[in-house]
Amino acid sequence: MSERLGSFAVRAARTGEGWTVELLADDAATELPVLEGALAGEWPGPFVFVVDTRLYFVALTHGPGGMVRAMISDGALPEFLLAAEAMERYGIEGVEVDADDESEHPAGDLDLFADAGLPRTDLEQILTADLWADEMVAEVAARLGFADELAAAVTA
């Protein structure tokens, strides 16, 4: 039986009319500077998605002048190493919440996918739905048109 990985990093890039999705790591321990190297390509995208422990994900793409645009699905998780690194490296402000607040708190560049066809308001709906991080990434992939490619890349 195939099963999605709990943590993973993938690169999704447009190729003509479709997309290619490549598994970069089957865990979220890969450092962000290494993942930034996977961002070379045509505009818009590619995108790098890093899902950590199914609790949150980080998405990256390149912006003007070689800068990296980044968002995190939950900015209230600085106790996780990858989340803390992403927030510090890309200037994403964390979100202070009560200990019993279990809702998602998206942070960073929430217009990250707008040029590819997923406006901020639609992304916010995905990020605040009752979904695991890998399910959120799957929904983003479905909206952008690479759900099948993502599923193929992250199933074992």
Side-chain angles (χ1 to χ4, degrees):
M1 173 182 254
S2 294
E3 182 176 309
R4 282 183 197 261
L5 301 171
S7 295
F8 60 85
V10 295
R11 176 184 186 269
R14 287 189 195 266
T15 55
E17 296 297 314
W19 290 80
T20 59
V21 178
E22 169 189 7
L23 183 66
L24 299 174
D26 61 2
D27 63 40
T30 303
E31 294 184 14
L32 291 172
V34 172
L35 297 172
E36 287 175 12
L39 293 177
E42 299 296 319
W43 183 263
F47 299 104
V48 170
F49 294 88
V50 186
V51 173
D52 190 7
T53 66
R54 296 189 73 202
L55 295 178
Y56 70 96
F57 75 91
V58 174
L60 310 172
T61 194
H62 55 76
M67 69 175 249
V68 175
R69 298 173 62 192
M71 55 92 29
I72 186 168
S73 64
D74 194 342
L77 298 174
E79 67 272 17
F80 288 90
L81 183 59
L82 178 69
E85 182 183 359
M87 290 162 55
E88 180 180 336
R89 185 169 182 82
Y90 306 117
I92 299 172
E93 291 192 32
V95 179
E96 300 271 337
V97 297
D98 294 332
D100 35 329
D101 182 354
E102 294 183 12
S103 59
E104 299 291 323
H105 301 279
D109 186 351
L110 299 182
D111 291 314
L112 191 76
F113 305 108
D115 290 334
L118 181 62
R120 177 188 194 110
T121 54
D122 292 354
L123 177 62
E124 288 173 337
Q125 289 175 346
I126 294 168
L127 298 178
T128 56
D130 188 19
L131 300 170
W132 290 106
D134 59 332
E135 295 168 331
M136 290 179 200
V137 171
E139 184 61 29
V140 169
R143 300 277 185 96
L144 296 180
F146 59 90
D148 292 341
E149 294 86 349
L150 175 67
V154 301
T155 54

